[in-house]
Amino acid sequence: MTTQEVANKMVSLCREGKYLEAYDLYADDAVSIEMDGMPGEKVTKGKENILKGFHEWEAGIEETHGGSVGEPVVAANHFVLPMSMDATFKESGRWAFEELCMYQVENGKITRAQYFYEVPEMG
């Protein structure tokens, strides 16, 4: 798949709420990078570990109130996707946020994902 095709597939799956299937777009040796200041690991290596982090994130959600997935902006082998979410988390309460998700694609798979958002005050 081209970078544009990967981006379009990511948008389609996320808009349908098929987040787990979206991880099929990741390479086995993908890297995921979160913002400084968030709990847990900042850098997660390997698709299996990235999926584990997704399951932990998902398990911490008590209720989802809304969210959106914007249109991708593609440049060479990268794309950026704006997303938003409004959810109540079991441990930290309600948090509404917007983020930019930047993906790097090589050989038709996402090899790097990095997320940019405002880190909430926690605790």
Side-chain angles (χ1 to χ4, degrees):
M1 280 193 285
T2 67
T3 301
Q4 184 70 59
E5 290 169 334
V6 172
N8 292 344
K9 186 72 173 173
M10 175 69 82
V11 168
S12 175
L13 290 170
C14 289
R15 285 182 178 165
E16 294 173 20
K18 296 179 179 178
Y19 301 107
L20 193 55
E21 288 179 41
Y23 287 99
D24 289 339
L25 298 171
Y26 283 60
D28 289 339
D29 61 349
V31 174
S32 179
I33 304 168
E34 293 291 340
M35 294 291 294
D36 286 334
M38 288 300 290
E41 296 293 320
K42 178 179 171 155
V43 177
T44 304
K45 296 180 180 181
K47 181 178 172 178
E48 186 176 312
N49 292 324
I50 293 169
L51 275 168
K52 181 181 173 189
F54 168 74
H55 288 300
E56 290 171 1
W57 163 266
E58 186 178 49
I61 297 174
E62 186 174 301
E63 181 180 359
T64 302
H65 309 287
S68 66
V69 179
E71 293 298 321
V73 175
V74 177
N77 68 326
H78 289 80
F79 69 95
V80 176
L81 189 58
M83 292 189 182
S84 70
M85 183 176 193
D86 181 3
T88 300
F89 293 85
K90 294 174 183 173
E91 298 293 323
S92 57
R94 192 166 177 172
W95 181 31
F97 65 95
E98 296 178 309
E99 67 180 327
L100 290 175
C101 310
M102 185 172 70
Y103 301 95
Q104 179 176 328
V105 178
E106 294 177 19
N107 300 316
K109 292 285 190 176
I110 293 169
T111 57
R112 179 182 171 106
Q114 188 167 2
Y115 306 99
F116 300 90
Y117 48 85
E118 186 174 334
V119 177
E121 291 185 30
M122 298 183 171

